[in-house]
Amino acid sequence: MFAYLVKRVFQAIAVMFVISLIAFAIQGNLGDPLRELVGQSVSEEVRQKLREELGLNDSFLQQYLRFAGNALQGDLGTSYFFKEPALDVILKKLPATLELVLGATLIIVGLSVPLGVYTAIKPNAVLSRLIMGLSIVGISIPVFLTAILMIFVFSVELGWLPSFGRGDVVQVWGYWETNFATIDGWQHIVLPSIALASIMLPLFVRLIRAEMMEVLQSEYVRYARAKGIHPWRIYFVHALKNTLLPVITVGGVQIGTMVAYTILTETVFQWPGMGFMFLEAVNRVDTPLIVAYLIVVGFIFVVTNTIVDLIYGLVNPTVNLARMGA
Amino acid sequence: MFKFASSVATAALIASLSSAAYADTTVRVAYDADPVSMDPYEQLSGGTLQLNHMVFDPLVRWTQDLQFEARLAESWEQIDATTMRFNLRKGVKFHSGNDFTAKDIDWTFDRIKQSDDFKGVFAPFVDVEVVDDFTIDLKTAEPFPLVLHTATYLFAMDSAFYSGTTSDGKDKSEIVKHGDSFASRNMSGTGPFVVTEREQGVKVVFDRHDGYWDTASAGNVDEIVLTPIKEDPTRVAALLSGDVDFIAPVPPTDLQRVEGADGVNLITMPGTRIITFQMNQNRVEAFKDARVRQAIDYAVNNAGIVDRIMRGFGTVAGQASPAGYLGHDPALTPRYDVEKAKALMAEAGYGDGLSITMMAPNNRYVNDDRIAQAVASMLSQIGITVDLQTMPKAQYWPKFDERAADMMMIGWHSDTEDSANFHQFLSACPDADSGNGQYNSGAYCNAMTDDLMNASNTETDPAMRGEALRKLEGILYAESAFIPLHWQNLAWGAKDNMNAGDIVNALNFPYFGDLVVSE
């Protein structure tokens, strides 16, 4: 276990190095940050002076080494727009994004297991067909379209839920403010969570259904049936446990992907998280913030993947992590 | 919540904060952007000017019909060719509690001269002389016709509040473009509102300044919550669902929806930002021939573009200066005649056509990429094959600086609300030293028009000046120096009881201090 962890940490460091290099390499193609920092009638001379001050005239290698040196000391640069250390800006936005991902995850977990199991047990029922049909629709419609449609139906036409923002948030700890402490906060998180879940939920329903159907064909389920064990016990205790193994693996990776999908969801709902912040940073050519975001998201991916592997080992002890690491 | 205290704990601030608890008229505003900084002179942008009009006061300001209105200056007079004397309002207090006097204007002027973004606007001014506590002389090197235009940018900062050093030894008055500074986080002005809370990019909360000097104003808003909502559909939805009271801009695609919705009003006004195409004479030999440029002007159906692509939400242009500007000549009407265009092409020896490249941004001006596509297909009708490339503005501007295509799109709003500014940046002979023609990607150069601009820059008689500027526009029109398309219109959406129509203006910074919300 320990050897495995050490190996994963080294892998993570290598991945982070590559990400930083790529992030740094693309920033040169994003445009000129000076344009966003000055008014339109400012002379080229003044812009050149600012460029020099910001160190943008140095060679790529010089800029990267300066960045890497600072990064090793925990300084990922200063955002041009927020005028604060980029890492601070991201950490302040992180709770909003994580709560949104949590909201979506709750919806996905809460719905995908019963729906997946049901459609596996009764594949030909009308309701099953309806669920499968809807899941195709859910996968095909882009998140931002789902989001805009929901805003117009539930905010504008019906007036049930607010159209944008986080509403009343309550400070919990440090930078962390939560949506889950007030009714207003709950109302605000419902639509964005559903929008974010809309892509992943159908995927999981289909995945659980497929796995479940396979398991239900297996010998031990037939044996259990023959023994006369109650069907619900077979479905939810014996079969589901084995169904969930691959689901957890996929799920962990998808949580990382979901962090990426928040960019669209947060933008449409004006959700003050780091996905929205990232898209704005790209528009403003806020290069230090863009690089820092890519590094932080890369880090989240690496960490979630590692955790998923560990959980996998706990759920299925036959997987020998120590040997995998060796 | 990251609480943002707009000033040190002075009695005035405490008073205004406590009144906020009982705020009875709150207006929630959604814009497509929020100010980048609390420093009034860090960046010259619409967001900054909007903020300045809420928290500070200028010497004078524009009215809806582009006249000047007294603010911190009560009256003014020209005392010699290069001096304008301003008599300042007495009894005005800053948010910090300090008294406003002439020395604050003097101090602010000196600070502006340090600002990269604003010093260009103030370049013709050499000094502010303090005559007495409530009188100043604004001096220019040469006679200058735009003294009042520029005075709309002179917002009084609280010199005592912004002087000295912070706890970590930084000068409180410094202007920092890309980092933290005292002025970018703290404010003390004389304006109708104080900023009590700010989370950049998420929201800014303004509370009414109880001691506001303008008691004649009927403004009754106690609190304004400004939320930037970048996405057009979300901003419109926020207004229609009642989550906000006032939005700007209303995108052209949603004008009818906002107009037709119950309980909300659509307010529109012709804007002053001109959208144009420039034809680079250094890159394309044919563009040196005025007949080819005219042919392009005749080939472009800009009325059709306004009608179909802009859905009527623009004012078709035949020149740079919009109606109301001194240089506007109503005789210079938009041209469109494909047959005539073909004839001109043949006459110039390009009857067989030619191939050019074109670039336009796709997220800077309203419908910019679609307009460029339309222009490209219109040009194909007269035998000009266009290789069009559109890109986000972040990538577009460096390309524009390189003059990377034969025809490039540029929109311009005159900082001074004056015609000469269009020529200075868009069509004057390019000159790195003076900065003239900085955005002239067409490389058009004509000594006559430059002379007319220079003459108008020192001509203080409006009649003579207007004549020179109209003549200038006439030459650019006759020569087809560039292709004018349209002036973008402005649109705001507001709840019925807001009376928002009274506070908006063509400059696009509504005067929220004067906003009267009916019961």
Side-chain angles (χ1 to χ4, degrees):
Chain A
M1 188 81 171
F2 181 73
Y4 173 75
L5 261 182
V6 170
K7 191 180 170 188
R8 286 307 297 248
V9 168
F10 273 106
Q11 275 177 354
I13 290 170
V15 169
M16 296 318 294
F17 171 71
V18 173
I19 289 175
S20 77
L21 210 58
I22 294 172
F24 216 76
I26 59 167
Q27 71 164 12
N29 299 314
L30 289 172
D32 182 2
L34 261 302
R35 280 287 175 176
E36 295 296 311
L37 286 177
V38 299
Q40 60 178 5
S41 54
V42 169
S43 70
E44 181 54 36
E45 192 187 339
V46 171
R47 274 189 259 145
Q48 202 52 42
K49 189 192 81 187
L50 274 167
R51 236 174 243 132
E52 192 62 45
E53 276 174 33
L54 289 171
L56 295 173
N57 288 337
D58 298 340
S59 70
F60 176 80
L61 194 67
Q62 269 176 315
Q63 291 194 46
Y64 182 75
L65 288 179
R66 189 168 55 221
F67 166 79
N70 291 334
L72 288 177
Q73 295 163 36
D75 174 10
L76 293 180
T78 302
S79 160
Y80 295 149
F81 178 72
F82 291 94
K83 304 170 201 310
E84 282 177 54
L87 197 58
D88 283 4
V89 175
I90 293 169
L91 291 179
K92 282 180 193 172
K93 305 284 183 191
L94 188 63
T97 297
L98 291 183
E99 291 205 340
L100 179 58
V101 171
L102 177 69
T105 309
L106 290 178
I107 293 173
I108 292 169
V109 172
L111 289 180
S112 66
V113 174
L115 291 182
V117 170
Y118 177 79
T119 49
I121 300 169
K122 295 209 165 22
N124 295 318
V126 177
L127 192 58
S128 288
R129 288 163 189 270
L130 189 72
I131 291 168
M132 297 319 286
L134 277 176
S135 75
I136 291 282
V137 176
I139 288 176
S140 339
I141 300 181
V143 170
F144 67 89
L145 204 61
T146 315
I148 289 172
L149 282 174
M150 285 202 310
I151 290 177
F152 272 95
V153 173
F154 295 106
S155 301
V156 178
E157 296 300 330
L158 298 171
W160 290 351
L161 292 164
S163 53
F164 74 95
R166 280 185 87 186
D168 285 344
V169 286
V170 175
Q171 188 154 355
V172 185
W173 172 76
Y175 290 146
W176 199 290
E177 296 168 316
T178 184
N179 269 91
F180 300 112
T182 61
I183 294 173
D184 189 56
W186 274 97
Q187 286 175 337
H188 276 83
I189 204 169
V190 171
L191 290 185
S193 300
I194 297 174
L196 185 57
S198 69
I199 286 282
M200 298 292 168
L201 179 60
L203 204 77
F204 278 91
V205 172
R206 299 181 84 84
L207 183 69
I208 291 174
R209 174 175 180 268
E211 292 294 332
M212 189 78 177
M213 284 174 93
E214 202 179 308
V215 169
L216 290 181
Q217 302 297 322
S218 59
E219 289 293 329
Y220 76 92
V221 171
R222 280 191 221 164
Y223 183 65
R225 277 199 176 123
K227 263 174 69 180
I229 296 175
H230 193 276
W232 288 108
R233 191 171 162 79
I234 298 174
Y235 297 143
F236 285 98
V237 178
H238 298 278
L240 191 60
K241 200 173 167 189
N242 289 315
T243 302
L244 286 185
L245 278 176
V247 175
I248 288 171
T249 320
V250 176
V253 179
Q254 296 301 336
I255 284 180
T257 314
M258 214 142 62
V259 172
Y261 270 113
T262 59
I263 293 176
L264 296 172
T265 314
E266 290 184 1
T267 303
V268 175
F269 285 99
Q270 204 70 24
W271 190 262
M274 56 184 218
F276 173 55
M277 175 216 76
F278 175 70
L279 206 69
E280 291 282 278
V282 171
N283 280 331
R284 294 192 192 99
V285 202
D286 193 342
T287 40
L289 197 53
I290 294 169
V291 173
Y293 172 86
L294 293 175
I295 287 176
V296 169
V297 170
F299 183 74
I300 292 175
F301 263 84
V302 170
V303 169
T304 49
N305 284 356
T306 309
I307 293 174
V308 166
D309 286 349
L310 294 177
I311 291 178
Y312 196 86
L314 293 178
V315 176
N316 185 356
T318 57
V319 178
N320 191 334
L321 286 178
R323 201 178 302 146
M324 272 168 70
Chain B
M1 191 58 60
F2 314 110
K3 289 280 180 186
F4 174 86
S6 75
S7 75
V8 287
T10 58
L13 184 68
I14 292 165
S16 65
L17 276 174
S18 57
S19 75
Y22 310 104
D24 44 5
T25 311
T26 295
V27 168
R28 293 156 301 166
V29 176
Y31 273 13
D32 58 348
D34 67 340
V36 293
S37 168
M38 301 278 101
D39 186 336
Y41 291 108
E42 187 182 308
Q43 183 161 359
L44 180 47
S45 67
T48 296
L49 289 171
Q50 174 69 65
L51 178 77
N52 291 359
H53 276 281
M54 292 170 82
V55 181
F56 299 88
D57 280 304
L59 285 180
V60 298
R61 74 180 182 188
W62 295 100
T63 59
Q64 267 184 345
D65 49 356
L66 292 182
Q67 303 298 308
F68 295 105
E69 184 184 359
R71 297 306 288 169
L72 287 180
E74 271 182 322
S75 61
W76 49 90
E77 59 181 327
Q78 191 86 39
I79 56 173
D80 63 47
T82 57
T83 310
M84 183 84 89
R85 175 162 291 178
F86 289 91
N87 298 304
L88 306 178
R89 203 170 290 280
K90 298 186 178 72
V92 176
K93 280 194 185 298
F94 286 106
H95 301 152
S96 65
N98 296 331
D99 289 316
F100 160 73
T101 64
K103 75 170 192 315
D104 296 303
I105 295 289
D106 188 29
W107 186 90
T108 304
F109 179 83
D110 291 341
R111 188 168 188 270
I112 291 171
K113 284 288 193 183
Q114 310 296 315
S115 163
D116 285 337
D117 272 43
F118 284 79
K119 69 184 174 196
V121 174
F122 283 84
F125 293 91
V126 287
D127 197 20
V128 165
E129 255 173 40
V130 175
V131 179
D132 62 44
D133 267 2
F134 296 98
T135 314
I136 54 149
D137 285 347
L138 201 47
K139 288 184 169 298
T140 53
E142 290 177 318
F144 183 56
L146 306 179
V147 173
L148 290 177
H149 299 64
T150 317
T152 61
Y153 284 92
L154 196 44
F155 296 89
M157 294 178 77
D158 184 344
S159 62
F161 179 81
Y162 289 101
S163 293
T165 52
T166 60
S167 55
D168 50 355
K170 284 195 215 151
D171 182 359
K172 283 184 180 174
S173 71
E174 69 176 342
I175 301 173
V176 182
K177 263 274 172 222
H178 43 83
D180 213 354
S181 72
F182 178 78
S184 69
R185 312 235 167 220
N186 299 275
M187 301 183 99
S188 173
T190 60
F193 293 100
V194 289
V195 174
T196 51
E197 194 182 322
R198 177 178 184 239
E199 191 181 343
Q200 194 165 12
V202 178
K203 73 169 172 179
V204 191
V205 179
F206 297 89
D207 277 343
R208 188 85 184 179
H209 170 39
D210 282 344
Y212 190 47
W213 59 267
D214 191 359
T215 47
S217 164
N220 67 351
V221 176
D222 304 296
E223 185 188 46
I224 291 180
V225 181
L226 169 70
T227 315
I229 302 184
K230 194 69 170 271
E231 286 297 299
D232 287 341
T234 313
R235 196 165 57 246
V236 173
L239 177 71
L240 297 182
S241 65
D243 290 341
V244 298
D245 307 302
F246 182 95
I247 63 167
V250 178
T253 44
D254 286 314
L255 292 168
Q256 283 177 345
R257 180 192 278 273
V258 172
E259 194 163 27
D262 287 338
V264 296
N265 274 334
L266 176 72
I267 302 140
T268 62
M269 196 179 270
T272 56
R273 184 191 294 283
I274 182 78
I275 306 296
T276 72
F277 268 105
Q278 296 173 334
M279 296 151 287
N280 195 329
Q281 303 183 21
N282 287 345
R283 291 174 58 101
V284 180
E285 187 62 30
F287 289 165
K288 288 199 168 108
D289 191 328
R291 288 170 300 187
V292 173
R293 302 198 300 266
Q294 283 158 0
I296 293 176
D297 198 10
Y298 274 110
V300 173
N301 179 5
N302 40 0
I305 291 173
V306 167
D307 194 34
R308 259 165 287 156
I309 298 178
M310 302 295 288
R311 303 198 186 198
F313 199 57
T315 309
V316 186
Q319 58 195 314
S321 307
Y325 277 29
L326 217 43
H328 180 79
D329 184 349
L332 307 178
T333 50
R335 292 174 279 203
Y336 174 55
D337 184 342
V338 178
E339 289 315 310
K340 177 131 195 206
K342 282 180 185 160
L344 281 163
M345 285 294 279
E347 200 184 312
Y350 293 96
D352 298 336
L354 72 153
S355 277
I356 60 163
T357 57
M358 179 188 277
M359 277 184 191
N362 59 21
N363 63 351
R364 176 64 188 92
Y365 310 112
V366 178
N367 294 326
D368 38 17
D369 51 342
R370 294 181 55 209
I371 292 168
Q373 281 158 19
V375 168
S377 75
M378 286 165 185
L379 293 187
S380 71
Q381 292 180 341
I382 60 163
I384 300 179
T385 315
V386 179
D387 174 13
L388 170 67
Q389 218 185 330
T390 63
M391 61 200 86
K393 62 180 178 186
Q395 277 103 62
Y396 184 69
W397 294 125
K399 292 283 185 196
F400 188 90
D401 284 343
E402 289 167 28
R403 314 291 191 239
D406 303 337
M407 274 182 83
M408 303 195 92
M409 182 189 273
I410 177 87
W412 198 260
H413 164 249
S414 164
D415 286 333
T416 47
E417 301 300 322
D418 179 70
S419 301
N421 183 276
F422 288 117
H423 185 63
Q424 187 193 341
F425 286 98
L426 299 181
S427 46
C429 297
D431 176 15
D433 289 338
S434 64
N436 283 353
Q438 194 184 335
Y439 289 82
N440 181 357
S441 78
Y444 175 84
C445 181
N446 184 335
M448 255 187 344
T449 52
D450 281 14
D451 286 347
L452 282 167
M453 176 185 76
N454 291 332
S456 75
N457 278 346
T458 53
E459 176 58 67
T460 49
D461 174 21
M464 302 267 284
R465 211 170 163 260
E467 198 179 319
L469 289 169
R470 279 192 296 277
K471 202 168 160 196
L472 197 171
E473 285 285 9
I475 295 173
L476 296 176
Y477 182 82
E479 289 246 283
S480 289
F482 59 92
I483 309 300
L485 294 173
H486 53 259
W487 296 283
Q488 287 182 354
N489 282 3
L490 298 169
W492 301 267
K495 285 200 179 142
D496 277 343
N497 67 341
M498 288 268 296
N499 306 308
D502 299 339
I503 61 154
V504 299
N505 50 53
L507 299 101
N508 204 5
F509 28 76
Y511 298 138
F512 284 106
D514 296 335
L515 182 62
V516 180
V517 178
S518 325
E519 286 307 315

